[in-house]
């Protein structure tokens, strides 16, 4: 009697296992694949934001970076001018422009690929960048000298990692949206960079022509912010309509 109960229990267990595994069909017992992230909106309804960041007046001259504390840097660096003020003809580069408000609660497909931050010629390349929450940041030391990458976020975890050997790489992700996360090198006081972490894909960094595009936005009302490391932030409201490109331009001054 006891033996029969045991077999009955085992039979039920086997049946339950078979059902749970989907009857041994495709998938080889792997966990069910997560549903693909659905677009937050119909892309056919999208609109765009485009604009320019200007600097009113003469752009401050780039500060010369004093690299004498490390002979490797002093001898090998081909560019010893600060990246804080870059631009031409009244246009301002290295400005992080992004959707600050208006996308709350929406989900977007994850970004593909890594974002690269290089330490080369004893400076960070790029100087200003953006990344998605959860996207991998690959940090490389291309120099034959010690750098340490020291991030000082307020909403994410701080990290500080030495890279003593040329060619070393290190990967990191961010859990929370944060504009901006500052980076510095504790060995070389002139090295700094900034990364904007967002939970959506609508951000851009202006080049020396000051131009930016935020394409394929859901129609709606947004607050667009422009951030500059020395000149602060500005915001503007904009309405994005299907098939239209709204112009949003910013002018900074000292
Ligand atoms: Cu360094």
């Amino acid at each position: 009697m006891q033996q029969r109960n045991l077999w009955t229990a085992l039979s039920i267990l086997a049946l339950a296992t078979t059902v749970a595994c989907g009857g041994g069909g495709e998938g080889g017992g792997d966990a069910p694949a997560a549903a693909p992230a659905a677009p937050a909106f119909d892309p056919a309804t999208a609109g765009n934001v485009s604009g320019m960041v200007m600097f009113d007046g003469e752009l401050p001259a780039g500060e010369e970076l004093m690299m004498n504390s490390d002979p490797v840097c002093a001898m090998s660096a081909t560019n010893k001018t600060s990246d804080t003020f870059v631009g031409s003809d009244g246009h301002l580069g290295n400005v992080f422009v992004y959707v600050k408000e208006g996308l709350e609660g929406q989900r977007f497909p994850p970004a593909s690929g890594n974002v690269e931050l290089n330490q080369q010629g004893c400076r960070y390349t790029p100087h200003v960048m953006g990344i998605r929450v959860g996207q991998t940041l690959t940090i490389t030391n291309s120099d034959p000298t010690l750098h340490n990458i020291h991030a000082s976020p307020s909403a994410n975890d701080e990290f500080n990692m030495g890279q003593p050997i040329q060619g070393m790489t290190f990967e990191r992700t961010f859990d929370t949206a944060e504009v901006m996360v500052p980076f510095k090198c504790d060995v070389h006081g002139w090295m700094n960079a900034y990364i904007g972490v967002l939970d959506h894909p609508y951000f851009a960094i202006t080049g020396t022509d000051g131009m930016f595009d935020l394409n394929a936005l859901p129609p709606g009302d947004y607050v667009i912010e422009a951030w500059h490391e020395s000149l602060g932030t500005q915001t503007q409201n904009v309405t994005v309509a299907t098939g239209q490109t709204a112009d949003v331009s910013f002018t900074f001054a000292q």
Side-chain angles (χ1 to χ4, degrees):
M1 193 63 181
Q2 228 171 1
Q3 186 75 11
R4 180 178 295 178
N5 284 347
L6 177 62
W7 283 116
T8 303
L10 286 175
S11 299
I12 292 170
L13 183 63
L15 179 65
T17 305
T18 303
V19 170
C21 290
E26 290 182 29
D30 291 338
F41 69 108
D42 178 357
T45 66
N48 310 304
V49 170
S50 179
M52 187 178 293
V53 180
M54 308 291 292
F55 184 83
D56 185 18
E58 189 169 344
L59 200 63
E63 178 191 352
E64 184 183 359
L65 305 175
M66 304 306 289
M67 299 187 177
N68 294 339
S69 61
D70 186 334
V72 172
C73 300
M75 291 176 61
S76 64
T78 56
N79 181 353
K80 296 182 181 177
T81 304
S82 163
D83 286 317
T84 300
F85 293 105
V86 296
S88 59
D89 300 327
H91 303 163
L92 186 62
N94 278 342
V95 177
F96 186 75
V97 184
Y98 71 105
V99 174
K100 184 175 187 177
E101 295 174 22
L103 293 167
E104 293 79 9
Q106 299 199 47
R107 294 172 60 87
F108 300 95
S112 60
N114 294 5
V115 172
E116 309 271 347
L117 175 60
N118 194 10
Q119 297 152 109
Q120 188 163 33
C122 294
R123 59 201 296 130
Y124 289 114
T125 306
H127 181 63
V128 178
M129 70 205 116
I131 196 169
R132 300 276 298 279
V133 169
Q135 188 176 11
T136 300
L137 174 66
T138 303
I139 302 161
T140 302
N141 180 7
S142 296
D143 289 329
T145 191
L146 165 69
H147 293 299
N148 80 303
I149 185 87
H150 187 178
S152 306
S154 54
N156 289 279
D157 293 334
E158 181 174 0
F159 63 90
N160 190 351
M161 177 71 71
Q163 291 188 319
I165 298 172
Q166 188 173 27
M168 286 183 89
T169 63
F170 168 58
E171 293 188 338
R172 197 76 187 188
T173 58
F174 298 90
D175 296 332
T176 305
E178 181 174 356
V179 176
M180 305 286 285
V181 175
F183 287 98
K184 65 175 182 175
C185 175
D186 295 325
V187 182
H188 308 113
W190 62 85
M191 290 179 65
N192 64 345
Y194 300 88
I195 187 163
V197 185
L198 292 175
D199 55 8
H200 63 70
Y202 301 104
F203 57 88
I205 294 93
T206 60
T208 53
D209 63 359
M211 304 287 288
F212 69 89
D213 295 295
L214 304 172
N215 290 329
L217 275 156
D221 296 324
Y222 299 102
V223 175
I224 309 294
E225 182 166 87
W227 172 99
H228 183 270
E229 67 180 274
S230 173
L231 302 172
T233 59
Q234 293 184 15
T235 58
Q236 289 197 42
N237 298 311
V238 66
T239 298
V240 171
T242 298
Q244 306 291 311
T245 297
D247 177 73
V248 176
S249 289
F250 298 89
T251 302
F252 284 89
Q254 270 195 316

